[in-house]
mmCIF file of all heavy atoms in Angstrom:
data_model
loop_
_atom_site.group_PDB
_atom_site.id
_atom_site.type_symbol
_atom_site.label_atom_id
_atom_site.label_comp_id
_atom_site.label_asym_id
_atom_site.label_seq_id
_atom_site.Cartn_x
_atom_site.Cartn_y
_atom_site.Cartn_z
ATOM 1 N N ASP A 41 0.882 -9.785 -13.046
ATOM 2 C CA ASP A 41 0.240 -9.559 -11.753
ATOM 3 C C ASP A 41 -0.733 -8.399 -11.831
ATOM 4 O O ASP A 41 -0.592 -7.499 -12.669
ATOM 5 C CB ASP A 41 1.294 -9.259 -10.679
ATOM 6 C CG ASP A 41 1.835 -10.527 -10.048
ATOM 7 O OD1 ASP A 41 1.098 -11.136 -9.260
ATOM 8 O OD2 ASP A 41 2.982 -10.893 -10.345
ATOM 9 N N PRO A 51 10.163 9.082 7.641
ATOM 10 C CA PRO A 51 9.513 10.274 8.192
ATOM 11 C C PRO A 51 9.887 11.587 7.499
ATOM 12 O O PRO A 51 9.118 12.542 7.519
ATOM 13 C CB PRO A 51 9.954 10.273 9.660
ATOM 14 C CG PRO A 51 10.168 8.829 9.971
ATOM 15 C CD PRO A 51 10.771 8.265 8.705
ATOM 16 N N ARG A 80 10.676 -5.017 2.480
ATOM 17 C CA ARG A 80 11.878 -4.386 1.936
ATOM 18 C C ARG A 80 12.325 -3.201 2.786
ATOM 19 O O ARG A 80 13.527 -2.972 2.953
ATOM 20 C CB ARG A 80 11.637 -3.981 0.489
ATOM 21 C CG ARG A 80 11.504 -5.195 -0.409
ATOM 22 C CD ARG A 80 11.090 -4.875 -1.820
ATOM 23 N NE ARG A 80 10.862 -6.134 -2.530
ATOM 24 C CZ ARG A 80 10.258 -6.227 -3.699
ATOM 25 N NH1 ARG A 80 9.839 -5.145 -4.329
ATOM 26 N NH2 ARG A 80 10.095 -7.425 -4.264
ATOM 27 N N ARG A 88 18.491 -4.319 13.179
ATOM 28 C CA ARG A 88 18.313 -3.897 14.559
ATOM 29 C C ARG A 88 17.063 -4.577 15.121
ATOM 30 O O ARG A 88 16.170 -4.968 14.361
ATOM 31 C CB ARG A 88 18.234 -2.380 14.649
ATOM 32 C CG ARG A 88 17.078 -1.769 13.920
ATOM 33 C CD ARG A 88 17.048 -0.248 14.154
ATOM 34 N NE ARG A 88 15.682 0.183 14.115
ATOM 35 C CZ ARG A 88 15.146 0.888 13.132
ATOM 36 N NH1 ARG A 88 15.875 1.247 12.096
ATOM 37 N NH2 ARG A 88 13.888 1.238 13.169
ATOM 38 N N PRO A 89 16.962 -4.724 16.404
ATOM 39 C CA PRO A 89 15.850 -5.469 17.002
ATOM 40 C C PRO A 89 14.465 -4.930 16.659
ATOM 41 O O PRO A 89 13.514 -5.675 16.585
ATOM 42 C CB PRO A 89 16.105 -5.362 18.511
ATOM 43 C CG PRO A 89 17.552 -5.064 18.629
ATOM 44 C CD PRO A 89 17.938 -4.304 17.397
ATOM 45 N N GLY A 96 6.235 6.542 12.021
ATOM 46 C CA GLY A 96 6.453 7.785 11.303
ATOM 47 C C GLY A 96 6.590 7.639 9.798
ATOM 48 O O GLY A 96 6.680 8.629 9.082
ATOM 49 N N THR A 98 5.377 6.515 5.913
ATOM 50 C CA THR A 98 4.158 6.633 5.119
ATOM 51 C C THR A 98 4.183 5.598 4.005
ATOM 52 O O THR A 98 5.177 5.493 3.282
ATOM 53 C CB THR A 98 4.037 8.033 4.494
ATOM 54 O OG1 THR A 98 4.011 9.004 5.543
ATOM 55 C CG2 THR A 98 2.788 8.165 3.646
ATOM 56 N N LEU A 115 0.286 -3.584 12.387
ATOM 57 C CA LEU A 115 1.348 -4.312 13.084
ATOM 58 C C LEU A 115 2.725 -3.684 12.871
ATOM 59 O O LEU A 115 3.577 -3.756 13.755
ATOM 60 C CB LEU A 115 1.352 -5.773 12.653
ATOM 61 C CG LEU A 115 0.114 -6.566 13.068
ATOM 62 C CD1 LEU A 115 0.140 -7.953 12.449
ATOM 63 C CD2 LEU A 115 -0.016 -6.635 14.571
ATOM 64 N N LEU A 121 -1.055 6.246 5.828
ATOM 65 C CA LEU A 121 -1.365 5.533 4.598
ATOM 66 C C LEU A 121 -1.950 6.526 3.615
ATOM 67 O O LEU A 121 -2.869 7.269 3.957
ATOM 68 C CB LEU A 121 -2.380 4.415 4.863
ATOM 69 C CG LEU A 121 -3.041 3.806 3.627
ATOM 70 C CD1 LEU A 121 -2.024 3.030 2.792
ATOM 71 C CD2 LEU A 121 -4.207 2.916 4.042
ATOM 72 N N SER A 135 -13.709 1.370 2.326
ATOM 73 C CA SER A 135 -14.837 0.872 1.551
ATOM 74 C C SER A 135 -15.693 -0.151 2.286
ATOM 75 O O SER A 135 -16.905 0.012 2.375
ATOM 76 C CB SER A 135 -14.347 0.273 0.230
ATOM 77 O OG SER A 135 -13.755 1.290 -0.557
ATOM 78 N N TRP A 137 -14.360 -2.009 5.398
ATOM 79 C CA TRP A 137 -13.978 -1.967 6.804
ATOM 80 C C TRP A 137 -13.037 -0.798 7.017
ATOM 81 O O TRP A 137 -12.595 -0.162 6.070
ATOM 82 C CB TRP A 137 -13.253 -3.255 7.223
ATOM 83 C CG TRP A 137 -14.066 -4.474 7.057
ATOM 84 C CD1 TRP A 137 -15.070 -4.917 7.874
ATOM 85 C CD2 TRP A 137 -13.962 -5.426 6.001
ATOM 86 N NE1 TRP A 137 -15.594 -6.085 7.380
ATOM 87 C CE2 TRP A 137 -14.934 -6.431 6.241
ATOM 88 C CE3 TRP A 137 -13.155 -5.555 4.878
ATOM 89 C CZ2 TRP A 137 -15.111 -7.518 5.403
ATOM 90 C CZ3 TRP A 137 -13.326 -6.632 4.042
ATOM 91 C CH2 TRP A 137 -14.297 -7.593 4.308
ATOM 92 N N ARG A 144 -10.176 -0.606 18.756
ATOM 93 C CA ARG A 144 -9.880 -1.783 19.573
ATOM 94 C C ARG A 144 -8.440 -2.262 19.400
ATOM 95 O O ARG A 144 -7.951 -3.053 20.206
ATOM 96 C CB ARG A 144 -10.848 -2.919 19.230
ATOM 97 C CG ARG A 144 -12.297 -2.575 19.589
ATOM 98 C CD ARG A 144 -13.259 -3.558 19.010
ATOM 99 N NE ARG A 144 -13.268 -3.407 17.554
ATOM 100 C CZ ARG A 144 -14.036 -4.101 16.738
ATOM 101 N NH1 ARG A 144 -14.866 -5.011 17.206
ATOM 102 N NH2 ARG A 144 -13.996 -3.904 15.434
#
Side-chain angles (χ1 to χ4, degrees):
D41 273 286
R80 291 173 186 167
R88 62 176 211 252
T98 300
L115 294 173
L121 166 68
S135 296
W137 300 282
R144 295 169 292 182

